[in-house]
Amino acid sequence: MCLARVATEHLLKADGESLVRGEEPRPTASASPLSVLIVSENVSPQVNGIARRVTHYIDGLRSLGCDVSVLEPGDEEQAWGHTNPWNLSARMMVIKPRTFGRLVRTHFELVHVVMPLNLSGIWLLAGFRLRRLLSGGATPRLVVSWHCNLADYNSSIFPAQLNKTMELICTYGFMLVPEFADRLLVPTRATEPAFTALWGRRWGLCPTGIDSTAFNADARSTEVGALWAQRKGEALAASGCKTLLLCVGRLSPEKGVHDLLGLLGRWSEYHLWLVGDGPSRAELERLALEPAIAGRVDFWGYQRGPSLWSVYSVCDCFVCPSVTETFGQTVNEALACAVPVVVPRVPAFVEAYRDYIDPELEMWAPGDAEGFARAIGHSLTKRRELGAAPRLKGWEEACAELLDEYHLAEPSARCRKRAWLLFPFYFIFTTMVAAVIYGFASFRVFFSRRQARPRAADRVVMEEGDHPWRRTHAE
């Protein structure tokens, strides 16, 4: 699947714009505070990497003096929220008409729409762009950040017969976004390159940080860390393994955990902890009963707070098997906790972590069981030699860089007459897509409830002072 291939042909060929990926010299940016509207379907308390990133952005920008307003699915007065059919733990939204009118009339210096999907954000981009056109003004500047390799996700989630249909929906669903917005931000250059190509030179990197007061090696010395260490000893003694591997993330097809269990079956000395939950949990639990890995995989559900920080710090090696990441925030968290890390050798990881994880020695080619074991062995040896965690960018620094990126968004004159001519049809199309997504979400929610296992609500909940393997049965 090649996202935005049709859009590339129709929107860029006529311009002859360069597709250079932003390596040109960057102008000096002012860091003065701005009034900002952030439109995101992913914010806390949702449990996913985009939600955590956006929440840090909101808090960080406010600490820098920015006046930040947020439109998100949990605000029932402003939008109709519904379940994300691709991730049942996340939410999506459809903006209410009166909210649309009020926001477009409000003065913001910059609007940041977090994507992919987020059709309400696309409609707002068009509304603000039209306001700029009619008023002759230069504000608000319009920024889009893209946080997903949607092509890889679709190929992981949908049957092969639907890939072509999803390609067309995604292509035409996002083809006008570069016409309306001024600048694109992506976590790494490897993020959805076909979509990035639509922006010519008008793109940059959205910075990522880490909360080192939470994720650090000292977490293993806390009471909670001692409890996890006790459980680690029990698990290794019971399975006869020597090394505890940890994987943190959503249990879903695109995250590669199925492949990780396959690799685990080739090596008997590894015990695996899976922290997270998701639609693939039941299937993965069945796979974990196969003779090659039986007794060597534990499922701990979602963890948060001191429980999450500490479980990183007690493992022997952190493994992220996903090949669809745009950055991999859990990798960042593990590095901050000074534990060895191994990941697949894919472009996003090589770009983001080559200074900390050797691409040749500590990354493996996807599917290569021998390379997987070699990467773990080398990473364990190197981390024992280095000891301390590497110096990683904090969220304060990351948010300051984000504010710089905002200032680099120049009001674009790109929006051509044909884009406005196409917009009525585009609005009808995206409205139909929103209706289809809502129907698909309702369908998935209905059947997920019917197929739910009696213990599907089980969670290992760990607040400070709780036991790390206590089960709570929440309604």
Side-chain angles (χ1 to χ4, degrees), residues 128-141 182 411-412:
F128 282 115
R129 190 58 188 261
L130 181 60
R131 192 189 86 176
R132 266 177 26 186
L133 177 68
L134 296 177
S135 68
T139 58
R141 287 170 279 186
D182 302 315
S412 171

Side-chain angles (χ1 to χ4, degrees), residues 67-135:
D67 179 11
V68 181
S69 302
V70 182
L71 177 65
E72 47 92 8
D75 190 345
E76 296 180 357
E77 292 186 0
Q78 311 299 327
W80 293 293
H82 64 85
T83 299
N84 183 331
W86 291 275
N87 178 357
L88 298 183
S89 66
R91 303 283 290 168
M92 301 179 73
M93 66 180 172
V94 176
I95 187 172
K96 293 183 178 180
R98 65 180 181 182
T99 303
F100 179 91
R102 178 181 59 81
L103 289 177
V104 169
R105 292 192 303 270
T106 302
H107 173 73
F108 297 104
E109 293 176 284
L110 186 134
V111 175
H112 178 174
V113 174
V114 180
M115 299 183 72
L117 302 179
N118 199 353
L119 297 176
S120 296
I122 297 176
W123 300 332
L124 280 170
L125 289 174
F128 282 115
R129 190 58 188 261
L130 181 60
R131 192 189 86 176
R132 266 177 26 186
L133 177 68
L134 296 177
S135 68

Side-chain angles (χ1 to χ4, degrees), residues 10 19 22 39 52 76 85 89 93 106 152 185 241 253 307 311 329 335 382 384 386 392 409 467:
H10 287 281
L19 300 184
V39 184
R52 284 185 292 163
E76 296 180 357
S89 66
M93 66 180 172
T106 302
D152 294 332
L185 302 178
C241 296
S307 179
V311 73
Q329 181 63 4
L335 288 171
K382 188 183 87 169
R384 279 195 294 267
L386 295 179
L392 300 170
H467 199 280

Side-chain angles (χ1 to χ4, degrees), residues 106-426:
T106 302
H107 173 73
F108 297 104
E109 293 176 284
L110 186 134
V111 175
H112 178 174
V113 174
V114 180
M115 299 183 72
L117 302 179
N118 199 353
L119 297 176
S120 296
I122 297 176
W123 300 332
L124 280 170
L125 289 174
F128 282 115
R129 190 58 188 261
L130 181 60
R131 192 189 86 176
R132 266 177 26 186
L133 177 68
L134 296 177
S135 68
T139 58
R141 287 170 279 186
L142 305 174
V143 171
V144 167
S145 61
W146 187 277
H147 302 270
C148 175
N149 284 319
L150 203 56
D152 294 332
Y153 267 59
N154 285 337
S155 62
S156 299
I157 294 173
F158 296 104
Q161 299 89 334
L162 287 179
N163 278 349
K164 185 64 176 178
T165 301
M166 293 308 302
E167 176 181 352
L168 291 174
I169 290 174
C170 291
T171 295
Y172 288 105
F174 303 117
M175 66 182 297
L176 291 185
V177 174
E179 296 287 303
F180 296 131
D182 302 315
R183 188 168 179 83
L184 170 71
L185 302 178
V186 288
T188 56
R189 292 173 179 82
T191 303
E192 209 76 87
F195 183 70
T196 304
L198 295 172
W199 299 76
R201 297 176 181 269
R202 299 177 299 127
W203 70 276
L205 297 178
C206 54
T208 306
I210 188 72
D211 182 359
S212 58
T213 63
F215 296 97
N216 57 68
D218 293 338
R220 68 170 63 96
S221 302
T222 64
E223 179 183 357
V224 182
L227 292 172
W228 278 119
Q230 177 187 336
R231 182 53 176 162
K232 171 187 174 181
E234 294 172 357
L236 294 179
S239 63
C241 296
K242 301 177 181 178
T243 303
L244 176 65
L245 306 181
L246 173 68
C247 176
V248 177
R250 202 164 71 93
L251 304 182
S252 54
E254 76 279 1
K255 294 299 184 180
V257 183
H258 296 77
D259 297 331
L260 178 58
L261 295 187
L263 294 172
L264 191 70
R266 298 282 302 273
W267 305 97
S268 61
E269 65 264 40
Y270 302 134
H271 192 105
L272 176 65
W273 278 359
L274 294 173
V275 171
D277 213 329
S280 296
R281 178 168 174 172
E283 181 184 357
L284 292 169
E285 287 183 333
R286 286 192 295 270
L287 289 175
L289 297 176
E290 293 186 356
I293 58 175
R296 294 196 288 128
V297 182
D298 295 324
F299 295 79
W300 291 104
Y302 285 119
Q303 301 294 323
R304 53 181 54 85
S307 179
L308 179 62
W309 312 335
S310 301
V311 73
Y312 275 112
S313 67
V314 303
C315 73
D316 295 313
C317 185
F318 179 81
V319 182
C320 179
S322 174
V323 298
T324 64
E325 301 300 307
T326 58
F327 185 85
Q329 181 63 4
T330 57
V331 176
N332 216 26
E333 293 166 353
L335 288 171
C337 293
V339 299
V341 176
V342 295
V343 295
R345 193 181 303 114
V346 293
F349 285 148
V350 172
E351 178 186 342
Y353 295 108
R354 74 184 97 187
D355 292 336
Y356 314 110
I357 306 172
D358 190 315
E360 296 302 320
L361 299 177
E362 297 168 294
M363 299 185 187
W364 78 90
D368 179 5
E370 297 290 336
F372 173 70
R374 283 196 302 270
I376 293 175
H378 187 274
S379 186
L380 288 170
T381 301
K382 188 183 87 169
R383 194 60 64 196
R384 279 195 294 267
E385 294 172 353
L386 295 179
R391 193 268 177 191
L392 300 170
K393 184 186 301 179
W395 280 112
E396 298 84 356
E397 182 182 351
C399 290
E401 292 180 4
L402 177 65
L403 186 55
D404 286 344
E405 286 288 350
Y406 284 172
H407 281 281
L408 291 170
E410 296 293 334
S412 171
R414 173 189 174 88
C415 195
R416 293 173 294 237
K417 187 179 296 184
R418 61 177 170 178
W420 291 115
L421 293 175
L422 285 172
F423 183 72
F425 304 100
Y426 179 76

